[in-house]
Amino acid sequence: MSELSMRALFVPLWEKIRASYWFVPSLMAIGAIILSLVTTTIDSRIGAGWIDDIDWLNANQPAGARAVLSTVAGSMITVAGVTFSMTILSISSATSQVGPRLLNNFMADKANQFTLGVFIATFLYCLMVLRTVRNAESLPPGVQSEMDLASAFVPHLSVIVGVLMAIASVGVLIFYIHHIPETIHVSNIIANVGRELDRQIDGQFPARLGDPQSADSDDQRVATLPPLFDESAAQVCSNGTGYLQYVDGDRLMEIAQEKDLVLHLQPSPGDFVTRSSVLLLASPCDRVDEHLQGKLAALFVCGAQRSATQDLRFLIDQLVEVAMRALSPGVNDPFTAISCLEWLQSALETLAERELPESARYDEQERLRIIVAPVTFAVFASLVFDQLRTYVAADRNASVMMMEMIGNLTALVSSSSDRRLLARHACALRRACRHHQVDTRTLALISQRYRGLLRLLIDEDFRDRARQTGHWIR
């Protein structure tokens, strides 16, 4: 494997391992085995005399120690099986309600992983300690009969630790029984996705806009390709088929500088690519040989599923999917859809105040090196409003909420172009509502909200008061 592809493979692989259901339980199982070796070693060094000096502790005979350890180990593996069954049942119930693409969210739940890990770790610990208990009658090979009493070994400290782990496991079981209903509650599911979306925005776009007044200027440096770029560019195609999960932009910039290339990236993380898909165009083509094409293609990692590592659209689509399902005739749950809209509003508000990267990437000498698909507020707004408009327009509560959501965003965003974009989405929503709604009072209410939104667009004083008071609806 080439050095250039190591980072591109490691980052999505680590995210996949962290979100897996087996990772934390495996670490805890290994830790339990190590703990059993440590405690039994301490027992063999300090002997059994120390327990006689503690009044509230009773020494165990070999048979009693075996009984305690066997009981704990047997009960823990049984509870672990029940826990796993409860997890699968809750996942099946929740995903049928909110959609299968949220399955990974349940699998990545650290509380579920920790609970299973505690039971497995307790089982393995007791099993490892159990093998060290020896009866006085059980003579090791080569030991004389007069050494019978000396050959008996009961790891008192290890047994006490095992009992304490069993008690802790009972507490974890009580917590887990409380946690499972919370996990499958639709409000918590939506909130978890919304919080993860906010975290990803903070991670991918940490820079904030400066003075809001300066953001009214919509002039941006436009990425322009060199003349005859397409004719002079070499195509780099995908090595595999699947969803694009990760692109190593730093290494692409290094290669572009080393070979004096201009790279035009075609797909974005989250797009589906095949072996015939063009990942990028590299110009001039005479500097791109077959070996370099392989290096460039290795920086694009594909997988069977979309990932939130570099793809904010994935998390937005999750909330959009839940809202669509909630507004479908078979479910008819507008308040779940409203909850999704509220979390999407929070995400769009955060995006509106962040400094989004330009599509053109320059090196230190201000020479154009990479051009990517533009990341703009308009792209994310379209994901929300264009996908949901048809579903929302047919429901009174959801349509009013979306119009108010657009108005709240109009009052908060600092860019005049973004405000005009939101006004166009509001106009499209009002047209859709007129087509789907028949209740005149609902249409009048939506029109009233729309007029207030237009006032936010054109009246700067009204917009400033709305920002200060957080209220614009009359």
Side-chain angles (χ1 to χ4, degrees):
M1 185 182 300
S2 66
E3 178 186 356
L4 288 172
S5 63
M6 290 299 294
R7 175 179 171 83
L9 288 179
F10 176 77
V11 172
L13 178 61
W14 174 241
E15 290 296 325
K16 184 177 180 180
I17 290 175
R18 282 202 316 155
S20 63
Y21 194 50
W22 57 265
F23 182 62
V24 171
S26 299
L27 290 181
M28 298 180 70
I30 295 172
I33 295 174
I34 296 173
L35 178 62
S36 68
L37 297 176
V38 171
T39 56
T40 52
T41 300
I42 294 175
D43 272 313
S44 64
R45 296 289 180 86
I46 65 176
W50 63 274
I51 200 170
D52 296 330
D53 300 328
I54 304 176
D55 296 335
W56 50 275
L57 286 179
N58 296 319
N60 289 308
Q61 296 301 316
R66 283 198 184 95
V68 170
L69 294 172
S70 299
T71 301
V72 173
S75 61
M76 285 302 105
I77 198 63
T78 302
V79 173
V82 173
T83 300
F84 181 75
S85 300
M86 290 175 61
T87 302
I88 297 302
L89 181 62
S90 64
I91 289 174
S92 175
S93 173
T95 53
S96 65
Q97 178 183 5
V98 299
R101 270 151 294 279
L102 289 171
L103 175 63
N104 287 345
N105 299 46
F106 296 98
M107 301 297 287
D109 189 329
K110 291 298 184 289
N112 293 341
Q113 298 174 9
F114 175 77
T115 300
L116 182 62
V118 167
F119 297 143
I120 292 177
T122 304
F123 165 75
L124 286 177
Y125 175 85
C126 293
L127 197 65
M128 294 294 293
V129 174
L130 184 61
R131 68 183 181 85
T132 66
V133 180
R134 293 195 306 268
N135 287 326
E137 295 78 16
S138 301
L139 295 179
V143 176
Q144 302 299 321
S145 59
E146 59 269 14
M147 299 291 293
D148 284 355
L149 293 178
S151 65
F153 176 69
V154 177
H156 296 289
L157 176 63
S158 300
V159 172
I160 293 172
V161 172
V163 172
L164 292 176
M165 292 178 67
I167 295 173
S169 298
V170 173
V172 172
L173 178 61
I174 295 172
F175 159 76
Y176 184 72
I177 294 173
H178 166 76
H179 177 72
I180 281 293
E182 284 194 332
T183 302
I184 63 177
H185 194 287
V186 66
S187 296
N188 292 330
I189 295 172
I190 296 170
N192 289 334
V193 178
R195 293 190 188 102
E196 179 62 23
L197 179 56
D198 287 338
R199 283 194 292 269
Q200 289 294 335
I201 293 173
D202 289 336
Q204 295 184 31
F205 311 121
R208 296 178 178 272
L209 294 173
D211 186 358
Q213 298 302 324
S214 64
D216 284 334
S217 176
D218 298 327
D219 296 333
Q220 295 182 353
R221 180 164 54 179
V222 179
T224 56
L225 290 170
L228 302 177
F229 177 86
D230 292 339
E231 291 79 357
S232 64
Q235 293 183 347
V236 176
C237 295
S238 172
N239 290 331
T241 299
Y243 291 98
L244 189 58
Q245 294 180 335
Y246 184 81
V247 180
D248 193 345
D250 294 336
R251 303 308 293 269
L252 283 174
M253 178 62 77
E254 292 178 8
I255 294 176
Q257 290 179 284
E258 290 172 4
K259 304 297 183 179
D260 193 20
L261 297 171
V262 177
L263 308 178
H264 186 194
L265 276 61
Q266 302 298 307
S268 301
D271 292 342
F272 189 84
V273 297
T274 65
R275 291 187 179 274
S276 62
S277 299
V278 177
L279 297 176
L280 59 85
L281 300 175
S283 179
C285 61
D286 55 1
R287 300 173 189 169
V288 183
D289 55 18
E290 186 175 349
H291 178 66
L292 183 58
Q293 287 182 348
K295 288 184 176 180
L296 291 170
L299 301 179
F300 294 76
V301 179
C302 299
Q305 303 176 11
R306 293 174 66 181
S307 169
T309 304
Q310 291 184 336
D311 182 16
L312 282 182
R313 296 179 300 168
F314 176 56
L315 295 172
I316 292 176
D317 285 343
Q318 284 187 337
L319 291 174
V320 169
E321 179 184 5
V322 176
M324 286 178 176
R325 284 174 172 266
L327 292 172
S328 64
V331 178
N332 194 22
D333 182 10
F335 294 102
T336 294
I338 289 173
S339 180
C340 293
L341 289 174
E342 289 168 343
W343 282 101
L344 287 168
Q345 176 183 327
S346 173
L348 290 176
E349 288 176 0
T350 306
L351 282 167
E353 66 183 17
R354 297 304 167 93
E355 184 177 339
L356 302 180
E358 298 178 353
S359 59
R361 313 290 165 83
Y362 296 80
D363 60 16
E364 296 177 354
Q365 288 74 38
E366 289 297 316
R367 287 180 293 189
L368 178 65
R369 291 301 180 192
I370 299 177
I371 295 179
V372 299
V375 179
T376 63
F377 178 81
V379 170
F380 296 111
S382 177
L383 283 176
V384 176
F385 300 121
D386 289 337
Q387 291 189 101
L388 281 176
R389 185 181 303 116
T390 303
Y391 298 86
V392 166
D395 183 85
R396 185 264 183 196
N397 296 322
S399 57
V400 172
M401 174 59 200
M402 179 174 277
M403 188 65 75
E404 293 179 358
M405 170 187 175
I406 299 174
N408 293 334
L409 290 168
T410 304
L412 291 174
V413 297
S414 55
S415 169
S416 58
S417 61
D418 289 343
R419 289 195 293 271
R420 291 192 296 270
L421 169 74
L422 291 169
R424 290 193 292 271
H425 282 297
C427 182
L429 176 61
R430 188 178 66 154
R431 286 198 303 268
C433 290
R434 286 177 173 177
H435 178 72
H436 290 88
Q437 295 282 345
V438 295
D439 182 59
T440 56
R441 289 183 299 177
T442 299
L443 293 174
L445 181 61
I446 292 173
S447 297
Q448 180 189 21
R449 298 288 190 270
Y450 179 68
R451 289 192 295 271
L453 186 148
L454 292 180
R455 185 178 177 186
L456 286 171
L457 179 67
I458 62 177
D459 190 338
E460 185 174 355
D461 292 336
F462 182 61
R463 189 167 61 247
D464 290 339
R465 288 196 301 271
R467 282 201 191 108
Q468 294 172 1
T469 63
H471 182 72
W472 60 274
I473 299 173
R474 295 184 177 180

